[in-house]
């Protein structure tokens, strides 16, 4: 018996047993993040493998800097010009991660946006400890500068670039967007930023399972951790912001997303759009893109359309 996909339902498209497993994992997500993350990737792999990506052209391994990790892939569908540009910056707790962590993730994010009329970039960056703070934010800046200068020849609109960061990638997007320490002003073509399950405070609290990785990137001086947190620089930016978080997050990340919502609301006297994705966890909130579920994707597309 076939199962129809209702794109309005969280985790739609997953077979019943896989969905039950995801719902079991959710409430205990933080007890074994590594094992649960792999379970999520395994659950979504068959769905993503079956996705119809015909018609999407991919230009791979484009260098935006001299380091081997300073590369991005571009995804586009059709010959249309003037497409909004979506740049996705992956996570990995500052010390690991790549733009193709599996054969389908995180290409699935760029595939989704290419299917929906965007020119999408899948961005990789240097890691700690080789590249400590503000290296990740600098790499996002360099990647966006490359996009602004070059996307027109791929069909993109250099005046409508949207930067999305997940987890540690969201940290780097926050540093890029809010923190002057990168030495690179935000290009005029950036029309908005989206934070998905992002670490916006450089904390080393006991409940943070990645505290060691945070110190590897930000340093071990508590005073530095506070001043280098993207959260403490949000008031200097007027960029349009969207926030998304999962119901089941790595410890404290949902709290920091909520704090970002509050601080932007207070400073701008207007609340930014925010989404809390029911039933999802820190990994499935990005692994589900291009799987048939459309809740978060549509919210981001509406954010792009408004700006």
């Amino acid at each position: 018996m076939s199962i129809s996909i209702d794109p309005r339902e969280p985790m739609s498209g997953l077979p019943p047993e896989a969905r039950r497993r995801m719902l079991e994992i959710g409430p205990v997500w933080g007890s074994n993040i590594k094992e649960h993350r792999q379970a999520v990737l395994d659950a979504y792999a068959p769905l993503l493998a079956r996705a119809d990506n015909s018609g999407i052209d991919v230009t791979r391994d484009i260098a935006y800097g001299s380091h081997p990790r300073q590369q991005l892939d571009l995804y586009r569908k059709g010959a249309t010009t003037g497409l909004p540009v979506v740049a996705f910056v992956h996570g990995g707790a500052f010390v690991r991660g790549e733009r193709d962590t599996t054969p389908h993730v995180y290409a699935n994010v760029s595939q989704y946006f290419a299917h929906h009329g965007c020119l999408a970039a899948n961005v990789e960056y240097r890691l700690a400890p080789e590249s400590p703070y503000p290296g990740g934010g600098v790499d996002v800046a360099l990647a966006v500068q490359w996009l602004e200068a070059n996307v027109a020849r791929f069909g993109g609109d250099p005046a409508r670039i949207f930067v999305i960061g997940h987890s540690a990638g969201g940290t780097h997007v926050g540093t890029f967007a809010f923190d002057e320490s990168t030495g690179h002003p935000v290009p005029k073509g950036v029309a908005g930023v989206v934070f998905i399950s992002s670490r916006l405070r450089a904390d080393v609290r006991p409940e943070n399972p990645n505290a060691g990785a945070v110190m590897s990137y930000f340093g071990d001086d508590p005073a530095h951790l506070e001043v280098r947190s993207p959260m403490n620089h949000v008031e200097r930016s007027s960029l349009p912001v969207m926030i998304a978080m999962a119901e089941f997050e790595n410890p404290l990340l949902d709290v920091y997303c909520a704090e970002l919502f509050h601080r932007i609301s207070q400073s701008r006297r207007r609340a930014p759009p925010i989404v809390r994705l029911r039933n999802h966890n820190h990994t499935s909130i990005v692994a589900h893109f291009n799987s048939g579920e459309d809740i978060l994707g549509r919210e981001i597309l509406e954010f792009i359309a408004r700006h």
Side-chain angles (χ1 to χ4, degrees):
M1 184 179 75
S2 64
I3 300 174
S4 63
I5 296 177
D6 183 348
R8 299 165 299 178
E9 274 298 308
M11 296 189 169
S12 56
L14 284 177
E17 186 55 41
R19 190 173 185 184
R20 278 193 292 271
R21 177 62 176 146
M22 294 302 97
L23 294 176
E24 291 171 357
I25 286 173
V28 295
W29 175 260
S31 64
N32 193 334
I33 293 173
K34 182 178 180 180
E35 178 183 305
H36 295 156
R37 176 180 183 273
Q38 189 59 53
V40 172
L41 295 175
D42 291 345
Y44 275 95
L47 269 182
L48 298 177
R50 293 197 300 269
D52 180 5
N53 293 312
S54 58
I56 295 181
D57 296 319
V58 186
T59 306
R60 299 189 185 279
D61 305 328
I62 298 172
Y64 65 84
S66 59
H67 191 278
R69 289 186 61 92
Q70 291 175 316
Q71 294 190 346
L72 57 84
D73 301 332
L74 286 179
Y75 293 70
R76 64 167 293 175
K77 186 173 184 178
T80 308
T81 59
L83 301 173
V85 179
V86 174
F88 177 77
V89 185
H90 65 81
F94 307 105
V95 296
R96 55 185 176 270
E98 51 276 322
R99 65 190 186 277
D100 289 315
T101 193
T102 77
H104 309 292
V105 177
Y106 300 96
N108 65 311
V109 180
S110 292
Q111 289 161 349
Y112 174 86
F113 286 104
H115 278 306
H116 288 84
C118 300
L119 176 67
N122 192 9
V123 180
E124 195 162 291
Y125 52 86
R126 294 169 296 165
L127 300 175
E130 178 186 5
S131 179
Y133 168 90
V138 169
D139 283 3
V140 174
L142 294 176
V144 173
Q145 288 171 10
W146 186 95
L147 291 169
E148 188 179 50
N150 292 280
V151 290
R153 61 192 174 94
F154 293 92
D157 182 353
R160 294 188 69 212
I161 300 173
F162 297 84
V163 190
I164 302 175
H166 173 244
S167 197
T171 310
H172 299 324
V173 171
T175 299
F176 155 74
F178 305 144
D179 189 345
E180 293 178 324
S181 68
T182 66
H184 296 273
V186 176
K188 293 181 180 178
V190 177
V193 291
V194 180
F195 297 97
I196 301 178
S197 303
S198 299
R199 181 168 295 284
L200 297 160
R201 282 202 172 279
D203 77 90
V204 291
R205 295 180 180 181
E207 60 263 55
N208 178 5
N210 292 312
V214 168
M215 287 190 291
S216 182
Y217 178 69
F218 283 102
D220 55 9
D221 185 331
H224 287 169
L225 296 180
E226 181 69 11
V227 74
R228 292 174 176 177
S229 295
M231 190 76 75
N232 292 316
H233 301 272
V234 299
E235 285 82 3
R236 63 170 296 271
S237 173
S238 60
L239 273 176
V241 169
M242 177 180 170
I243 304 163
M245 57 184 166
E247 180 176 1
F248 305 112
E249 279 292 356
N250 287 12
L252 300 176
L253 296 193
D254 51 348
V255 176
Y256 298 148
C257 286
E259 183 183 359
L260 179 66
F261 174 83
H262 174 74
R263 290 188 66 150
I264 289 177
S265 300
Q266 288 289 98
S267 65
R268 301 183 186 180
R269 315 309 296 171
R270 183 178 176 85
I274 186 168
V275 178
R276 182 175 182 265
L277 209 55
R278 181 168 55 88
N279 293 346
H280 275 283
N281 55 60
H282 184 72
T283 298
S284 68
I285 198 171
V286 286
H288 81 276
F289 277 94
N290 210 36
S291 71
E293 180 185 335
D294 215 19
I295 301 170
L296 180 56
R298 282 292 171 190
E299 291 284 349
I300 295 174
L301 289 170
E302 289 180 13
F303 174 75
I304 290 171
R306 288 196 299 272
H307 301 285

